[in-house]
Amino acid sequence: MKTAGIIAEYNPFHNGHIRQIQATREAGYDRIIAVMSGNIVQRGDIAICDMGSRARAAVQNGVDLVLELPMPYSLSSAEDFARAGVSILSRLGCVDALSFGSECGDVRRLQACADAIDSINPSEIKALMSDGLTYPQATARLLGDDILSGANNTLAIEYIRKLKNTGIEPFTVQRNISHDSLELADTVSAMKIREMLRNSEDISEFVPEVPTDLSFIENIDKLILSLAAFQDSGNPRIEKYAMQASNLDELYSLVKTRNVTHARVRREVLQAALGIRAGETATEPPYARILAANQAGIDLLGEIKKSGTISVSTSLVELSKISERNAELTERASKLWHFARAEQGSYRSEFSREFKIST
């Protein structure tokens, strides 16, 4: 039995994700474990659907076991996001390969770029960033390759860099549409689907099931501005301009500088609102919460219990005994998700919720 891991957000889960899962199984991997972001995602946004519903959709469409990538790792740079996801998969003790999407679809080319990046002197990157280039732009110039213009290529290269010495092999599925494409075609990007959901458009042909309980970050503009203004984020521009901006888009524009990407600004604003401190992603994720599993996933959990070196559980109360801080950040993130819901309901604490595992 060969097992593949996928590091994902499923924001929301759509037909392109099903295509990747099918391609992974066709490549000979019998079982699939997904490590998935919770209610806050890497692009610096509120997840459009609750983590539980996204995990269930994944298991209903080919994934065997879904584990949560805990806060603050899901709200971090591509490098830290990749490091954390790979760390969890490698410590499960049963993963043979990491499956990921990429624009280029060529593992050898991605591997060559990963090796080239590791050989770059960091001072050269810093010098270019001082001249106004972002990190991806500076790295691309030094590589002499435009491969980093693809968001999924960039993340794929980080995955490959973090896989070194883990014994986990990289496997890529070529994307047939770019990460942030707003094009309407047979397959559409998650960004396009989120835009359609915001506009109450029909997305049924692009997803296995249309989500109903939705959250949008613009619903809590004022809340995030208020929280960010009172936190010591380490970025004085956030505290300063949070008091001046009328909405989040305005704050992002005011905070952004030439050598910082839009995604990094969005992340830093949410990190400030959540009270995440610098350096909190430097250590390995302390645990992984079980969000969903089928019978094969339950069997995998038995193997993980025997050979894994990371704690897994459906209960955040139990996991908080390992890291109270990470559990509390998960709770804060879920509270933000709740306030951003399109239709308000009663809040259920993550500490009182245990995900039921179906067979």
Side-chain angles (χ1 to χ4, degrees):
M1 300 285 281
K2 295 176 65 178
T3 303
I6 295 175
I7 301 169
E9 298 201 302
Y10 297 147
N11 185 36
F13 189 90
H14 58 73
N15 294 345
H17 298 130
I18 295 176
R19 176 176 169 266
Q20 180 193 2
I21 292 164
Q22 291 173 339
T24 303
R25 290 198 179 275
E26 289 168 2
Y29 297 99
D30 311 284
R31 305 175 302 184
I32 296 176
I33 300 172
V35 175
M36 186 191 79
S37 296
N39 285 335
I40 302 287
V41 294
Q42 198 265 340
R43 68 187 303 272
D45 201 354
I46 303 291
I48 201 162
C49 308
D50 169 74
M51 71 177 94
S53 64
R54 287 181 284 129
R56 286 192 298 274
V59 167
Q60 289 165 1
N61 291 277
V63 173
D64 298 305
L65 173 64
V66 181
L67 303 172
E68 180 189 358
L69 178 64
M71 289 290 291
Y73 306 94
S74 66
L75 185 62
S76 60
S77 66
E79 181 178 6
D80 288 343
F81 181 87
R83 180 191 297 116
V86 169
S87 172
I88 290 174
L89 290 173
S90 65
R91 288 185 286 152
L92 296 177
C94 59
V95 177
D96 301 294
L98 174 62
S99 171
F100 49 83
S102 65
E103 286 87 359
C104 79
D106 185 341
V107 166
R108 287 176 296 182
R109 184 181 174 198
L110 292 167
Q111 180 71 66
C113 286
D115 293 340
I117 289 173
D118 285 337
S119 67
I120 292 176
N121 188 326
S123 64
E124 295 181 81
I125 296 178
K126 289 180 180 179
L128 290 174
M129 291 182 69
S130 296
D131 290 336
L133 297 185
T134 64
Y135 176 83
Q137 291 169 341
T139 306
R141 179 172 294 186
L142 292 169
L143 286 177
D145 194 327
D146 66 352
I147 192 170
L148 293 177
S149 62
N152 285 93
N153 284 345
T154 300
L155 197 51
I157 288 168
E158 291 300 333
Y159 289 146
I160 290 173
R161 294 177 69 196
K162 306 313 174 192
L163 287 176
K164 289 182 179 179
N165 303 316
T166 64
I168 298 175
E169 294 294 322
F171 170 76
T172 193
V173 178
Q174 186 166 22
R175 289 178 62 102
N176 53 13
I177 193 164
S178 66
H179 180 265
D180 292 335
S181 172
L182 295 178
E183 177 185 351
L184 196 60
D186 293 338
T187 302
V188 299
S189 68
M191 177 173 280
K192 179 61 179 179
I193 292 173
R194 291 193 297 271
E195 179 191 73
M196 294 175 72
L197 286 169
R198 280 182 165 86
N199 296 330
S200 300
E201 298 176 44
D202 180 15
I203 65 166
S204 57
E205 66 178 296
F206 307 118
V207 295
E209 183 176 347
V210 177
T212 54
D213 190 6
L214 306 176
S215 283
F216 302 108
I217 195 169
E218 56 266 30
N219 291 341
I220 53 172
D221 269 21
K222 294 297 185 183
L223 175 59
I224 294 177
L225 289 174
S226 299
L227 291 171
F230 289 99
Q231 299 282 0
D232 182 10
S233 67
N235 184 339
R237 295 175 66 86
I238 292 176
E239 184 177 348
K240 174 184 176 181
Y241 292 119
M243 298 298 293
Q244 300 178 21
S246 58
N247 56 51
L248 281 175
D249 284 339
E250 185 178 350
L251 176 60
Y252 299 151
S253 297
L254 290 169
V255 171
K256 189 183 182 317
T257 55
R258 285 189 308 158
N259 62 351
V260 174
T261 64
H262 288 281
R264 178 175 169 180
V265 171
R266 292 194 300 266
R267 285 194 298 270
E268 288 186 350
V269 168
L270 266 184
Q271 287 165 356
L274 289 162
I276 295 172
R277 299 183 291 265
E280 290 204 71
T281 57
T283 58
E284 291 186 315
Y287 57 71
R289 184 161 56 149
I290 304 163
L291 301 182
N294 58 20
Q295 186 56 57
I298 293 171
D299 294 341
L300 277 164
L301 287 170
E303 293 182 27
I304 292 166
K305 185 176 181 180
K306 293 178 182 178
S307 59
T309 58
I310 185 171
S311 296
V312 296
S313 172
T314 59
S315 169
L316 193 62
V317 172
E318 290 301 312
L319 294 171
S320 70
K321 297 174 184 177
I322 299 168
S323 175
E324 183 178 357
R325 173 63 177 170
N326 285 98
E328 178 55 35
L329 287 175
T330 295
E331 176 75 353
R332 292 184 193 180
S334 290
K335 285 178 178 178
L336 276 189
W337 187 91
H338 169 75
F339 283 119
R341 290 172 70 183
E343 296 183 12
Q344 286 293 319
S346 59
Y347 177 68
R348 184 178 181 184
S349 169
E350 293 297 324
F351 289 103
S352 66
R353 176 162 74 160
E354 290 196 24
F355 291 92
K356 295 181 179 179
I357 306 303
S358 60
T359 57

